[in-house]
Amino acid sequence: MTVLEIMERLGTKEETLVKAWVKDAIHLIQSNTKEKVEVAKRDIIKSVGSEDNVYILPPDLVSIENISIKDTSDSKFKKIKRLTSQPHYLAEDISPWVHM
């Protein structure tokens, strides 16, 4: 469909306005759809070296949609809920044990 056909259907003679509407519509469609979604599985038991919380992620990763863990009791994947707030960390050690 050409800009002229859109103008005729809308009953307007402002070409620049119709072009702006088309550009806005294309931008809205592009921002609401995912460009490329891949599903990947990682074995978290085999972490990097001796560190238990370091895992190799793909270099082209942009965002993580969700994380699931396989429950070995029923062999189903369970989703992990997202945190709604930042976790609170202690700034200092407040343990009652005195180190000597």
Side-chain angles (χ1 to χ4, degrees), residues 34 36-42 44 57-58 61-70 77-83:
K34 306 230 182 303
K36 180 181 174 185
V37 177
E38 290 184 11
V39 175
K41 294 182 181 181
R42 301 279 183 234
I44 62 171
L57 297 175
L61 178 72
V62 175
S63 67
I64 297 175
E65 293 291 317
N66 62 47
I67 297 175
S68 300
I69 293 183
K70 188 173 184 179
F77 284 92
K78 309 277 178 155
K79 261 189 177 178
I80 296 176
K81 293 183 180 180
R82 260 182 185 229
L83 293 176

Side-chain angles (χ1 to χ4, degrees), residues 21-34:
W21 284 342
V22 170
K23 286 181 183 178
D24 285 347
I26 290 171
H27 178 69
L28 182 65
I29 290 169
Q30 288 175 341
S31 65
N32 288 338
T33 58
K34 306 230 182 303

